[in-house]
Each structure stands twice: as C-alpha cells, then as structure tokens.
Amino acid sequence: MERKVGIIGVAYSKFGVRNDVNFNELAYESFKEAINSSNIDLKDISFLIVSNVGVWSSEPLPAVSLGEYLGLIGIGTLRVEAACASGSAAIKIAYDMIKSGEHEVIAVIGIEKMNESTTPIVVEMIGRAGNYFWEFENFGLTFPGYYALYATAYMNKYGAKEEDLCEVAIKNHYYGARNPKAHFQKEVTLEECMNSRYVAWPLKLYDCSPISDGSATVILASEDFIRKSGVKEPIWIRSIGASNDTSNLSKRENFLSLKATVEAADKAYKKANIDKDKLTKIFDVIEVHDCFTIAEILACEDLGLFKRGEGYKIIREKQTYIGGMIPVNLSGGLKAKGHPLGATGISMLVELVKQLKYEVEKQRQADIKNGLALAHNVGGTGHYAYVTILSR
Ligand code: COA
C-alpha cells in the first residue's frame, strides 16, 4: 500500500537580483527557515535533492556544494533539471522515494542565481531549451518569441487584446506588492503596462517574468514520521500528475493550449479523485505558471478552470482575485514574485502550504474553505508539465 507523504517545513528566500549573497548562502536562507518551521533535527533528513538549471551561474555541482554547506553529508544527494519545472520534478522524485517506503524525511531545495549572467546570455540559454537545432539555431527563436506565438494565436482565435494580457500583470503585481519576498513589490497600471517596451510583439516588458535569483525549500516526510514526531498541521500531497510534449513546436497540434498541462492535470485529478466539473468550487487557491501573461490565461483553460476562449474575459472581470471565482497567483506569480527557474516550482508549494495554514500576509490570504490547493508548473513551452494537489 502507498504511504501518505506530507509537507512539514517550507520557506522561500527573498527573490530578486541577489548579488549580496553567494550560491550557498542564498540556498541557506530558505533552508534555515524551512528547518525551523518543521521543528526537526538535521539528522532526521535522509536524502537531499537539489533543483537547479544553473547554466548561467558558476556552481557546476550544486547538490554536492550544498550538502557540504548545509551539513548534509553521507546521506546521498542528486541534482534535478527539468527547465522551469525542475522544482516540481524534484518534489515528484522525493514524493515517490518516501511513498515507496525507502525514506522518511527528504529536503528538496530549489536554487537559481541567474543574474550571474547578463540578459542576452540568459535569454540565449533559455532559448536553446526550446528546440535547439530547428528553432533556436535556424530561426533564433527565444522564449518571449515562443510565447508571442501562443499569444497571437489566442488573440486571433478568441479576440483577446493586449489590454487583456496586461490584466494578468496588473493582478500579479498587485499581489506581489503585498509579498515582501517578491522580486517586484510595486503595482502597475494598465497604462504603464500598455506603454512598456515591446519584447516580442504583442508581449511587452510587463507581460514577461523577470530574470530572478532565489531559493525555496520544502521538507517532505512520511505519514509514519509525522505521527511519531508529533508534527502539527502537515499539508498532504494528494497527487502529482506529470506529462511532456515535443521539443519541436511544429509538431504541436495548435498554439491555443499546452497539451502537457491538460494531461498532467487529468492525471492529478484522477489520482486525487477530483470532480473536473467543479474545480473552481473545490480549490481554494491555485498557483499557475505565468512565465508570460498569456501563459496564465492558457493555464487556467488547460487546467479546466474556465472554458476555452473564456479565460481572458473571466480574468478581465477580476474573478481570479481574492473573493472571485478562484484566486490565482496570490504570491505575485512568476510575473511579480519572480522566476528563478529551479526554485519556482518549489516556491509554488511553499506559497500554497502557507495559504492553507493562514500564514501569508493578510492582504493576500485566500479564504480557505475546503483546504485544497493546486500548483501548476511548466518547463519550456509545455515540454514538461507538473500539476500537484495539496490538502490540509
Ligand atoms: N517585468 C517588469 N519589470 C522588469 C522586468 C519584468 N519582466 N524585467 C526587468 N524589469 C525592470 C527592471 O527592474 C529595471 O527597472 P529599473 O530601471 O527601475 O531598475 C528595468 O526593467 C530594466 O531591467 P533590465 O534588467 O535591464 O531588463 P532587461 O531588458 O535586461 O530584461 C527582459 C527584460 C524582459 C528581456 C527579461 O526580464 C527576460 O528575458 N524575461 C523573460 C525571462 C524568461 O524567459 N524566463 C523563462 C520563461 S519560460
């Protein structure tokens, strides 16, 4: 029989441009807080998993370096990379290792120091992660360009306007402004968003997530350990659904959806016995992968929260704020909280655990009725997708 797996400690560091700390110190910021919140001893941790893309920073063996720095030696470690979904992939491995009975407590740390490189280098390295030979080398396509293709297809089919994309940025900056750990803590207006410079038409500066440094830590434990050690209020992982899609965009069916998200969500709903017709009534709060504003609209539709082509209208009506149909990205999302790739998926779980326990700032605290939350994390343009369901 499968064992239940709970989350007993969480934290993320301040996200942003973090030239004030080195790689290990940045990871320690979230690790220390997560350990303190879990009330466990370092010796309880029997494995360390590190999520890090790292092609822009100096540390080639992050799991080894962190093991030494954090005093986690002699237990076993590995580094996980699944592009922007690295964090969720790392959580999935830890979850399976505990579920199988092999481990009781595992620390999962996501860390990225992207600002060790300049914007052109970061944009190139992420661009190479699309489809290197056909799309990057031959056509020079980079990520703002990829998501611009999705945005233009969506706008053409459903009539959404650039203003509608900006509504996602306005909401996420609104909540980011209320999250002291967010990369950007300032609100933006429609005018500011519309007047910001084009990066890849129709996407402007405020349609893009930033290049961020940051770390996030989640401590996972088995139900047996949780019961024995008397940890109060664990948050349970109800299910994780994963899928992947082609590297080459020309092999995708259309640009109106990320198929990997639809499949990952289906698997997660099935495993957790979630009624797909009542999603906005079931989940109290969700975090989705808004690497670009169009991505949040597609995510809400791909997860089945809203009908196809309706997402932008519902977002325009402010139904994804607190008090609306379903609150989305109350952390500020990737757009305003920031997007340090390896830390992102883990920070989504940190945020949702804190939401479910009423531990976030009052102005961005969701009303928790059913005690259920969902995290959606994409790598590439749907190359990888993970959907994780949490419950109190
Ligand atoms: N949103 C809002 N403001 C941003 C921003 C963003 N995404 N990126 C930078 N800024 C702000 C900076 O804080 C800075 O403000 P200041 O002048 O008040 O200090 C200003 O804009 C210029 O910043 P800079 O770092 O010089 O911008 P840049 O031109 O080097 O980079 C982008 C801007 C959009 C090109 C870069 O953020 C980017 O490539 N984002 C996408 C990252 C990505 O693809 N991630 C993976 C997604 S799957």
Side-chain angles (χ1 to χ4, degrees):
M1 196 174 120
E2 285 184 355
R3 303 198 304 168
K4 276 173 78 175
V5 179
I7 297 179
I8 59 170
V10 293
Y12 53 82
S13 72
K14 169 82 182 76
F15 282 11
V17 179
R18 296 297 312 272
N19 296 328
D20 57 316
V21 280
N22 69 25
F23 189 89
N24 290 336
E25 289 165 342
L26 184 56
Y28 184 63
E29 246 180 66
S30 64
F31 180 75
K32 182 179 164 206
E33 203 185 317
I35 288 290
N36 289 343
S37 74
S38 71
N39 227 358
I40 60 162
D41 207 89
L42 268 196
K43 67 175 174 21
D44 292 322
I45 298 173
S46 67
F47 204 85
L48 168 68
I49 301 184
V50 175
S51 155
N52 172 249
V53 177
V55 287
W56 24 70
S57 57
S58 48
E59 185 49 71
L61 298 180
V64 180
S65 166
L66 277 180
E68 177 184 334
Y69 191 79
L70 304 174
L72 295 172
I73 290 291
I75 57 171
T77 186
L78 59 86
R79 176 246 196 105
V80 174
E81 181 280 306
C84 310
S86 301
S88 295
I91 295 280
K92 165 101 172 86
I93 293 168
Y95 172 68
D96 288 344
M97 285 167 83
I98 294 174
K99 207 167 59 159
S100 71
E102 181 81 16
H103 287 271
E104 300 303 319
V105 181
I106 297 181
V108 185
I109 306 177
I111 160 97
E112 214 69 68
K113 263 192 127 251
M114 303 175 76
N115 286 288
E116 281 188 18
S117 291
T118 58
T119 298
I121 293 199
V122 172
V123 170
E124 174 181 340
M125 295 321 267
I126 298 176
R128 284 164 175 254
N131 172 273
Y132 174 70
F133 180 72
W134 287 109
E135 294 165 6
F136 179 79
E137 195 61 36
N138 275 326
F139 298 107
L141 200 50
T142 59
F143 267 62
Y146 273 118
Y147 277 92
L149 294 174
Y150 279 93
T152 47
Y154 188 91
M155 290 160 79
N156 181 49
K157 169 102 180 173
Y158 299 119
K161 302 265 178 285
E162 286 177 60
E163 284 85 346
D164 297 313
L165 303 179
C166 277
E167 288 298 334
V168 173
I170 293 166
K171 171 181 64 68
N172 292 351
H173 272 268
Y174 175 86
Y175 288 119
R178 284 148 184 81
N179 178 358
K181 289 188 169 170
H183 188 145
F184 296 123
Q185 284 155 43
K186 64 165 196 165
E187 293 184 27
V188 297
T189 62
L190 181 60
E191 202 181 10
E192 281 167 318
C193 181
M194 288 298 288
N195 289 332
S196 63
R197 65 185 142 103
Y198 281 105
V199 176
W201 188 89
L203 303 180
K204 296 173 281 301
L205 182 69
Y206 282 110
D207 289 297
C208 305
S209 58
I211 293 169
S212 310
D213 308 325
S215 80
T217 301
V218 163
I219 313 285
L220 298 166
S222 68
E223 185 176 18
D224 301 340
F225 179 90
I226 290 170
R227 302 250 180 264
K228 270 189 224 146
S229 59
V231 172
K232 291 197 186 70
E233 279 199 276
I235 295 298
W236 302 103
I237 297 185
R238 287 280 299 274
S239 67
I240 302 179
S243 192
N244 59 316
D245 203 350
T246 62
S247 153
N248 204 317
L249 237 64
S250 65
K251 295 188 180 143
R252 305 267 178 104
E253 281 159 26
N254 64 52
F255 288 178
L256 298 164
S257 158
L258 302 188
K259 189 154 69 89
T261 294
V262 177
E263 292 168 351
D266 271 350
K267 291 179 194 177
Y269 296 150
K270 200 166 168 205
K271 282 189 220 163
N273 236 343
I274 299 284
D275 181 349
K276 278 165 58 180
D277 295 330
K278 296 191 181 136
L279 296 172
T280 55
K281 296 216 166 19
I282 289 173
F283 291 109
D284 293 317
V285 57
I286 69 171
E287 288 277 310
V288 304
H289 196 92
D290 59 321
C291 50
F292 297 92
T293 48
I294 181 64
E296 179 162 321
I297 299 172
L298 293 179
C300 289
E301 295 183 10
D302 286 338
L303 290 169
L305 301 170
F306 311 137
K307 287 195 187 119
R308 293 262 166 233
E310 300 276 304
Y312 77 95
K313 297 179 197 155
I314 293 170
I315 289 168
R316 190 164 64 196
E317 287 163 6
K318 308 221 176 298
Q319 293 292 345
T320 50
Y321 282 74
I322 293 169
M325 271 166 78
I326 181 139
V328 179
N329 284 340
L330 302 185
S331 64
L334 281 57
K335 173 73 250 324
K337 184 184 70 186
H339 185 22
L341 272 59
T344 288
I346 298 169
S347 73
M348 288 174 168
L349 296 199
V350 174
E351 171 68 18
L352 293 175
V353 165
K354 286 178 175 260
Q355 284 281 351
L356 290 172
K357 293 169 90 168
Y358 278 92
E359 286 178 1
V360 305
E361 292 71 25
K362 233 178 164 177
Q363 308 99 307
R364 57 183 199 89
Q365 173 66 58
D367 190 13
I368 306 300
K369 296 183 202 117
N370 301 324
L372 276 161
L374 177 150
H376 159 256
N377 190 195
V378 169
T381 53
H383 294 63
Y384 310 82
Y386 287 83
V387 171
T388 305
I389 296 178
L390 303 180
S391 74
R392 281 175 73 142

